[in-house]
Amino acid sequence: MSEDFNMSMRKFLKQVGVTSQQAIEEAMRKAGDTSGKTYEAKMVLTIDGVDLEHVVIGKIEGS
């Protein structure tokens, strides 16, 4: 893969990581007391123009 491709992919993934963390933290603050609770999380990545749908499923522990 080209260097331009690698750089654009890394930039996109960094943006996804940072903005997703901010959104999760905000949602958890709005939820109130989340201590002792576990939340199911799912991230779906699609790319228009190519046949890609990537799903990541995990758990987030409350604080």
Side-chain angles (χ1 to χ4, degrees):
M1 296 289 165
S2 73
E3 185 64 25
D4 289 341
F5 168 76
N6 284 329
M7 291 301 293
S8 67
M9 182 173 55
R10 288 178 187 173
K11 183 178 178 181
F12 172 74
L13 291 173
K14 183 176 181 179
Q15 181 181 8
V16 168
V18 170
T19 59
S20 296
Q21 181 175 349
Q22 292 169 344
I24 291 167
E25 289 172 349
E26 178 67 19
M28 297 297 268
R29 276 193 293 276
K30 286 181 179 179
D33 183 14
T34 61
S35 59
K37 297 178 183 174
T38 301
Y39 299 88
E40 297 281 332
K42 178 170 78 170
M43 177 71 73
V44 179
L45 170 67
T46 60
I47 298 179
D48 293 339
V50 298
D51 187 23
L52 175 65
E53 180 175 287
H54 178 71
V55 179
V56 178
I57 299 173
K59 296 180 187 288
I60 297 176
E61 301 291 331
S63 58

